[in-house]
Amino acid sequence: MNKNLWSARFSKELDALVNEFNQSIKVDSLMYAHDVMGSLAHAEMLKKQSVITESDFIEIEKGLNDILSDIESGALKIDMNAEDIHMFIEGELTKRYPEAGKKLHTARSRNDQVAVDVRLYLRDKTDEIMSSVKNLVSSIYEVASQNVDTVMPGYTHLQRAQPVTFAHHLMAYASMFMRDYDRLIDCKKRMNYSPLGSCALAGTTYPIDRVFTAEKLGFTAPTFNSMDGVSDRDFAVELCSAISLIMMHLSRFSEEIILWSSWEYKFIELDDGYSTGSSIMPQKKNPDIAELVRGKTGRAYGNLITLLTMLKGLPLAYNKDMQEDKEAVFDSVETVLKCLNVFAPMLKTMTVLKANMAKAAEKGFINATDCADYLAKKGMPFRSAYKITGQLVALCISKGVTMGELPLENYQEYSELFEQDIYDAIDMSTCLNKRTSEGGPSAVAVKKQLKIVESFLND
Ligand code: ARG
């Protein structure tokens, strides 16, 4: 005899390979607490609506709570041969309270059960990811506050372009992660609707109260269509997409950490606790964490595509294809949490090699725009000023000097507008601190940016 709960019309045991192929317990066992939560709300609603008796409810409630604490204490091992966590918990409850246990599944289907469990689980995980994002922003804030005056080159095309500060550069990442945080809030808003009571797809003839279970479980409201309630996984896609963006931002940041810690840059040095050595080259100190984060970004993108493809073309309502949702979204959740949680302390513990950043800023003619602006502010059209500055840069390169080292006579050969004050105009700290435009790198502008981040952190 087939021992599955759904096996009444089956005369044969499920093939062992099929059993293994069909089951999802190895993945969905993570949702045991949420499954219990959903069942408790459902049972209480059934009692309130007089679908089950008070004494049945008392047994179901006790049974479910005991199962939860037994799983948590290790007294009850989840059977990895069960089909899924929903079947396992219901089966266990029925073992403990045979009559009442069998009533729990009244006016419910695994289809709305799994949909509710996944939402409850992901809602908690979204909160966890949000707090990890916030923690990362707080580390960024801390390092930035100490580097408001740390001059470094800003790059385009990976070529030194214009002067910025390390704090300014870091504030760019802070704003990316703050948007990521916002996306998670938004994603949670749409996730937070209760499919419970959709049943298999077409609701039920029992007098259920979907608003009651939605409220009990902290949902905003029940989903308004039962077929949609059990069919869509758009909330999981949205979460995977928000996670992909976090990973994309982390991966760009990782790439910079990797570059900055190379001998070619040497802008930072990672703490020994956050880097690894080589088994053969004794001099090596490798930025493995940043590389792994960059590498794991691929998994997050893969999971997003897995979900989109799994849902593409699926007819309504539930199809078993949808069981594949959890492996993908859970992997994204665990991946992003691990990455965020290791990235934040790696940042906080790194040493910023300010002198090397300043040295790099001195070279590369990143004050050339300021030289052109100097002439333009004295009345020369910007395009002409741009041309003269380009010629001056070429002259500096041929003489092997920086713009600050080029004698005034040379400047004046190109334009009479040049006076002694050119040296002040192209001085790195002037170049920086005159860039007071909103969002810019001057200390004044960056302090405003820090304030914005501060209020995000205190929110
Ligand atoms: N383990 C299944 C899943 O994750 C539960 C739903 C099964 N429903 C069904 N009608 N076979 O999707």
Side-chain angles (χ1 to χ4, degrees):
M1 260 290 285
N2 190 318
K3 50 185 186 306
N4 279 303
L5 282 173
W6 42 255
S7 66
R9 63 161 292 180
F10 292 77
S11 54
K12 213 168 147 188
E13 189 65 64
L14 198 60
D15 178 87
L17 264 182
V18 173
N19 189 46
E20 159 121 50
F21 184 69
N22 192 46
Q23 64 185 195
S24 56
I25 190 133
K26 292 188 182 82
V27 177
D28 61 31
S29 56
L30 284 175
M31 307 191 299
Y32 69 87
H34 302 88
D35 191 73
V36 167
M37 228 171 117
S39 289
L40 282 171
H42 178 66
E44 193 176 342
M45 182 278 292
L46 292 180
K47 176 199 70 172
K48 180 180 87 72
Q49 299 300 96
S50 308
V51 177
I52 61 170
T53 63
E54 174 86 32
S55 66
D56 283 335
F57 172 66
I58 291 170
E59 289 191 349
I60 291 173
E61 187 183 39
K62 174 154 181 20
L64 288 171
N65 282 326
D66 289 349
I67 288 170
L68 180 61
S69 57
D70 288 351
I71 292 177
E72 248 136 39
S73 71
L76 175 62
K77 293 263 170 289
I78 296 175
D79 175 9
M80 287 299 157
N81 283 315
E83 186 178 333
D84 56 30
I85 192 65
H86 326 293
M87 291 305 219
F88 171 74
I89 290 180
E90 190 188 334
E92 185 60 30
L93 178 70
T94 309
K95 264 192 227 156
R96 297 181 185 201
Y97 297 99
E99 282 316 303
K102 282 191 282 186
K103 292 183 184 159
L104 174 64
H105 213 53
T106 315
R108 186 177 77 169
S109 155
R110 254 189 308 158
N111 296 348
D112 57 349
Q113 193 178 357
V114 67
V116 85
D117 289 7
V118 175
R119 286 172 194 253
L120 289 172
Y121 181 81
L122 292 182
R123 189 176 69 184
D124 279 355
K125 287 291 170 180
T126 306
D127 284 337
E128 245 182 83
I129 300 170
M130 282 167 64
S131 89
S132 291
V133 169
K134 204 165 220 186
N135 185 47
L136 174 62
V137 174
S138 145
S139 302
I140 294 174
Y141 174 86
E142 216 175 283
V143 181
S145 324
Q146 295 151 10
N147 287 284
V148 176
D149 300 314
T150 308
V151 183
M152 73 180 279
Y155 295 80
T156 61
H157 312 274
L158 214 53
Q159 306 281 326
R160 292 172 197 163
Q162 288 179 345
V164 295
T165 62
F166 193 43
H168 185 237
H169 198 119
L170 289 173
M171 283 297 99
Y173 283 109
S175 67
M176 295 177 217
F177 291 117
M178 280 160 62
R179 281 196 299 279
D180 287 333
Y181 186 90
D182 214 43
R183 257 186 286 276
L184 291 169
I185 296 182
D186 198 49
C187 172
K188 222 176 79 170
K189 244 188 259 163
R190 278 182 294 277
M191 179 191 291
N192 205 29
Y193 284 81
S194 172
L196 199 56
S198 299
C199 304
L201 76 161
T204 178
T205 55
Y206 288 98
I208 59 171
D209 183 346
R210 294 191 61 204
V211 172
F212 177 85
T213 45
E215 272 173 11
K216 262 255 104 67
L217 295 168
F219 286 114
T220 308
T223 52
F224 80 78
N225 176 282
S226 64
M227 292 183 81
D228 168 58
V230 289
S231 296
D232 210 352
R233 295 291 184 268
D234 54 358
F235 59 90
V237 176
E238 276 195 60
L239 181 59
C240 274
S241 156
I243 290 174
S244 294
L245 286 171
I246 299 176
M247 291 300 298
M248 181 269 286
H249 290 147
L250 277 177
S251 149
R252 295 184 75 170
F253 206 168
S254 295
E255 173 63 16
E256 301 213 281
I257 297 281
I258 295 161
L259 287 172
W260 293 339
S261 46
S262 71
W263 280 107
E264 282 66 21
Y265 280 77
K266 264 292 161 246
F267 285 1
I268 57 161
E269 174 149 1
L270 293 175
D271 185 76
D272 282 0
Y274 291 88
S275 34
T276 59
S278 154
S279 56
I280 174 167
M281 297 166 281
Q283 83 283 13
K284 292 290 284 291
K285 189 167 172 189
N286 297 328
D288 286 28
I289 293 176
E291 291 174 14
L292 267 175
V293 170
R294 188 178 58 182
K296 283 178 189 290
T297 304
R299 304 165 72 112
Y301 293 1
N303 291 331
L304 172 63
I305 296 298
T306 296
L307 281 191
L308 286 169
T309 313
M310 180 274 282
L311 288 166
K312 177 182 177 296
L314 276 192
L316 299 186
Y318 179 85
N319 299 271
K320 192 77 171 195
D321 314 45
M322 291 161 69
Q323 179 165 285
E324 290 288 308
D325 60 352
K326 288 168 282 297
E327 198 166 344
V329 67
F330 290 5
D331 182 67
S332 279
V333 162
E334 290 318 309
T335 301
V336 77
L337 280 170
K338 270 191 230 155
C339 291
L340 287 166
N341 294 344
V342 75
F343 207 89
M346 177 187 72
L347 274 190
K348 256 192 351 202
T349 53
M350 73 189 183
T351 308
V352 181
L353 303 173
K354 300 184 183 192
N356 292 351
M357 289 186 177
K359 224 186 289 162
E362 286 301 330
K363 301 204 181 111
F365 306 101
I366 61 178
N367 46 4
T369 315
D370 299 86
C371 176
D373 286 342
Y374 170 89
L375 291 175
K377 282 177 190 164
K378 291 200 170 189
M380 185 183 286
F382 182 77
R383 275 292 160 227
S384 316
Y386 172 94
K387 194 166 167 204
I388 287 179
T389 308
Q391 290 163 341
L392 283 165
V393 167
L395 180 66
C396 287
I397 292 172
S398 70
K399 293 179 123 200
V401 295
T402 64
M403 296 194 83
E405 290 160 354
L406 190 71
L408 189 59
E409 304 87 82
N410 286 132
Y411 278 101
Q412 287 169 340
E413 280 159 25
Y414 287 83
S415 167
E416 282 163 6
L417 293 174
F418 282 118
E419 290 169 82
Q420 190 59 34
D421 60 351
I422 177 62
Y423 295 105
D424 183 46
I426 60 168
D427 176 77
M428 215 47 76
S429 60
T430 319
C431 296
L432 256 172
N433 285 321
K434 286 214 165 134
R435 288 185 148 73
T436 52
S437 55
E438 200 176 322
S442 72
V444 188
V446 169
K447 278 180 187 153
K448 275 194 202 153
Q449 296 163 44
L450 283 164
K451 277 263 170 281
I452 293 171
V453 177
E454 213 176 286
S455 57
F456 164 78
L457 291 172
N458 293 331
D459 202 20

